[in-house]
Amino acid sequence: MSFISEIQTFKSLSIVGLEKNTGKTVCLNYILNRLPLQCSVAVTSIGIDGESKDQVTGTFKPEIILREGTIFSTSESYYLRRRLLSELLEITDERSSLGRIVTAKVLRQGKVLLSGPSSSQALARWIDNVSKYGTKLTIVDGALSRLSSASPVISESLILTTGAAYSADMATLVRRTKFIVELVRLDKACEKIRTAFYKKEKGVWGVDVDGNVIDFQIESSLAIDKIKEDLTERTVAVFIAGALTDRFLDFICNSKRVGEIEIVVGDFTKIFVSEELYRVFRKKGGRLSVLRTSKLIAVCVNPTSPRGIVLDSDILCEKMYEAIKVPVYDIVKNVDSI
């Protein structure tokens, strides 16, 4: 199945850049331009995308081009600056830092700045809302710093973009990207655990050997100082409704029963741990699983960094694929063969 064909098997897609200038907008434009005309698409961004010049690095960036028929949502401020002909569909009560969110339909191809809903809850509402316009696919343009846009609660599928801007050393780039891919592809917890914790929105919980749910009376993993007991003594699994942090993972790593414990989180976007500590946890026999998963379709690479560093595209794609066993593309170089 081709890259574009697989995307069409899902109702929603997030494109997440692991760093600025890793080719996220190029990837978005590529997908939008090659989806069949009969595939009705809605697109937005959790950040600000489509600027011609990066406000931090000062480098020139590709602008977002939307073709006729595309539904898009952006802030009032950016909608007024659009360079395309469009039909205004809706002005919602959802707001970004640049005003209310405007939804429109492209009547004549052109360029636009995207700045849509700024929270995962608002994004989920946006996806549900634009379905009334007959969209078959919703695309969210995200970023590593806002990984919530890639949560399985929001999107069913995912594309990561990485490259020399993430690390100028190829070996380091491959290793760091592989770690993110590992988290994205974590196994689901067993059905019994998923059922027990699916609706838990806060707190730290446990499951004992008999399947009983234990409330540790802790509001989040950040409240680790309040923990007065070894959470692993009477549990086989520990569920964290919020973020999994280094401090909490280190706490579990120091337990005598770490090798018998499964840590469960909502999805990979809830994991904020260092690769080093994660490797220690796994080496000791600990397991990490999630309640929800999304399908990683591909990793797209940009071998060029704003500082002028250029990695060998063919070697990078080859080494990246060997490490992650997920389709890897340099869209600029291989634009006609994907």
Side-chain angles (χ1 to χ4, degrees):
M1 182 181 293
S2 71
F3 180 43
I4 298 299
S5 295
E6 185 170 8
I7 289 173
Q8 293 176 74
T9 64
F10 298 94
K11 294 180 179 179
S12 52
L13 169 73
S14 287
I15 304 173
V16 176
L18 300 189
E19 182 59 79
K20 281 180 172 290
N21 301 294
T22 55
K24 183 162 54 70
T25 303
V26 170
C27 182
L28 174 63
N29 281 334
Y30 177 89
I31 292 168
L32 291 173
N33 190 48
R34 283 163 177 76
L35 285 168
L37 293 175
Q38 65 268 27
C39 181
S40 178
V41 181
V43 61
T44 193
S45 173
I46 197 170
I48 298 175
D49 286 287
E51 298 171 300
S52 60
K53 191 175 183 180
D54 192 289
Q55 299 302 309
V56 177
T57 64
T59 55
F60 290 100
K61 300 174 58 178
E63 298 174 278
I64 294 173
I65 301 172
L66 301 183
R67 70 187 184 190
E68 182 179 333
T70 303
I71 307 291
F72 68 96
S73 295
T74 191
S75 64
E76 289 178 282
S77 174
Y78 283 167
Y79 183 72
L80 295 174
R81 294 167 58 184
R82 71 197 184 283
R83 285 176 285 163
L84 49 71
L85 183 63
S86 62
E87 174 190 358
L88 178 63
L89 298 176
E90 184 177 7
I91 301 177
T92 70
D93 292 330
E94 299 283 0
R95 301 186 70 88
S96 73
S97 59
L98 298 168
R100 292 177 297 177
I101 302 300
V102 174
T103 298
K105 182 177 183 179
V106 179
L107 299 179
R108 185 182 301 160
Q109 179 172 300
K111 298 176 180 179
V112 68
L113 289 165
L114 293 179
S115 178
S118 56
S119 70
S120 56
Q121 294 85 356
L123 275 175
R125 288 192 294 269
W126 172 78
I127 290 175
D128 183 61
N129 186 55
V130 294
S131 65
K132 67 187 178 187
Y133 300 115
T135 55
K136 294 181 180 179
L137 173 67
T138 55
I139 300 178
V140 177
D141 201 351
L144 181 61
S145 59
R146 305 293 293 276
L147 265 180
S148 58
S149 64
S151 169
V153 174
I154 297 169
S155 56
E156 298 177 350
S157 61
L158 170 68
I159 290 175
L160 294 177
T161 68
T162 188
Y166 191 37
S167 176
D169 177 74
M170 189 179 295
T172 302
L173 171 59
V174 171
R175 178 182 57 77
R176 291 174 66 184
T177 304
K178 179 184 178 183
F179 176 54
I180 300 297
V181 169
E182 279 188 52
L183 299 184
V184 173
R185 302 178 77 188
L186 283 171
D187 291 333
K188 274 187 179 181
C190 69
E191 185 176 356
K192 182 179 291 186
I193 289 178
R194 297 201 309 271
T195 301
F197 298 124
Y198 199 77
K199 294 185 178 180
K200 303 291 186 187
E201 296 182 354
K202 61 180 180 179
V204 178
W205 307 74
V207 175
D208 66 19
V209 292
D210 297 317
N212 300 311
V213 174
I214 304 167
D215 183 355
F216 290 114
Q217 301 295 318
I218 305 166
E219 55 268 31
S220 78
S221 65
L222 299 176
I224 192 169
D225 295 335
K226 297 182 180 180
I227 300 175
K228 305 301 181 183
E229 61 178 310
D230 184 347
L231 302 185
T232 68
E233 277 189 3
R234 51 195 177 112
T235 59
V236 293
V238 175
F239 172 69
I240 301 167
L244 172 62
T245 63
D246 268 353
R247 288 186 65 203
F248 191 89
L249 188 59
D250 185 58
F251 179 86
I252 297 296
C253 278
N254 288 321
S255 164
K256 293 179 181 178
R257 295 186 64 248
V258 59
E260 303 171 55
I261 290 297
E262 178 178 0
I263 296 178
V264 185
V265 294
D267 59 67
F268 80 95
T269 68
K270 305 294 186 182
I271 303 171
F272 299 89
V273 300
S274 65
E275 180 181 356
E276 293 74 17
L277 188 55
Y278 173 76
R279 299 294 179 211
V280 170
F281 173 69
R282 296 287 290 123
K283 189 175 182 179
K284 289 186 174 183
R287 290 162 293 137
L288 182 58
S289 64
V290 294
L291 299 184
R292 297 170 292 270
T293 60
S294 59
K295 169 67 174 180
L296 178 59
I297 293 176
V299 171
C300 295
V301 299
N302 176 9
T304 303
S305 84
R307 293 183 294 169
I309 296 168
V310 181
L311 302 176
D312 186 296
S313 174
D314 292 337
I315 296 175
L316 175 58
C317 288
E318 180 183 349
K319 289 186 176 296
M320 189 71 73
Y321 178 75
E322 288 176 355
I324 65 177
K325 296 298 187 289
V326 171
V328 179
Y329 304 108
D330 178 346
I331 285 179
V332 172
K333 181 173 182 179
N334 306 121
V335 66
D336 296 322
S337 60
I338 300 175

